[in-house]
Amino acid sequence: MALRNVLTVDKENDSLRKKSREVEKIDEKILTLIEDMKETLYDKNGVGLAAPQIGVLKRVIVIDIGEGPIVLINPVIAYQKGEIVDVEGCLSVPGVWGTVKRPQEVIVRGMNEKGETVELSGEGLLAKAFCHEIDHLNGIIYTDKVIDYIDQSQIQQEG
Ligand code: NI
């Protein structure tokens, strides 16, 4: 395993703005990518990380809201319900936080590391993390959707 460098918007990294490609085969390379993403996420104390944030344009996300790692390959939002405005940050936009409107509840479909189709439901923080990370796979950064920027440097959650 290896720590990867997290790309940030201030360094004009095109990878953050490109649409990532679907993973067609779960091979050693993808499994190594996933392990590296987990290690990098925990090193940065983040809530979530998407592969394009480390310069790999593949549809892979890793999330941990404090309940253990969730890995999703080729994730899509299959269902969403409600609306909630909450604060977000992003490891690719360090030191900035802002409020974003997201669904209150989502069901996400994708593949796990074994190639099995899985459906996961999430509410609140987890729903927010799913939406934030899936946006990264489409070149969207949460700042594109910010309602208001906030000045609360004590907020630590970044995805
Ligand atoms: Ni992010």
Side-chain angles (χ1 to χ4, degrees):
M1 295 208 295
L3 281 179
R4 305 281 190 107
N5 187 34
V6 177
L7 305 179
T8 52
V9 287
D10 55 325
K11 305 221 172 87
E12 296 181 13
N13 286 292
D14 280 353
S15 298
L16 291 170
R17 287 305 188 179
K18 286 184 177 157
K19 197 170 155 77
S20 292
R21 291 178 296 273
E22 295 231 332
V23 174
E24 293 183 2
K25 188 173 153 212
I26 299 174
D27 53 17
E28 279 304 312
K29 206 173 163 188
I30 292 292
L31 293 175
T32 301
L33 169 70
I34 289 166
E35 289 312 305
D36 289 355
M37 285 174 67
K38 285 185 199 169
E39 194 178 337
T40 304
L41 178 67
Y42 293 126
D43 181 68
K44 297 282 185 190
N45 289 315
V47 168
L49 188 69
Q53 290 183 276
I54 59 168
V56 177
L57 291 171
K58 293 188 191 298
R59 302 185 81 82
V60 179
I61 62 172
V62 175
I63 290 170
D64 193 334
I65 60 162
E67 298 173 354
I70 294 170
V71 174
L72 274 178
I73 299 160
N74 302 337
V76 292
I77 296 171
Y79 169 83
Q80 63 180 64
K81 186 181 161 190
E83 274 181 4
I84 189 163
V85 174
D86 200 3
V87 177
E88 292 187 27
C90 180
L91 293 172
S92 294
V93 193
V96 175
W97 289 270
T99 52
V100 181
K101 190 197 290 182
R102 299 286 192 187
Q104 187 157 25
E105 194 181 330
V106 295
I107 296 173
V108 176
R109 188 180 301 131
M111 266 189 307
N112 64 17
E113 293 158 277
K114 295 173 190 164
E116 299 162 340
T117 300
V118 289
E119 264 192 4
L120 300 173
S121 60
E123 281 187 57
L125 176 57
L126 185 54
K128 180 168 79 172
F130 281 138
C131 295
H132 179 116
E133 300 312 329
I134 290 171
D135 272 354
H136 273 302
L137 304 181
N138 295 318
I140 298 164
I141 297 172
Y142 88 95
T143 49
D144 298 342
K145 300 180 169 179
V146 157
I147 298 165
D148 282 311
Y149 286 101
I150 57 164
D151 179 23
Q152 284 185 267
S153 55
Q154 71 271 23
I155 292 172
Q156 296 293 330
Q157 290 168 339
E158 296 176 301

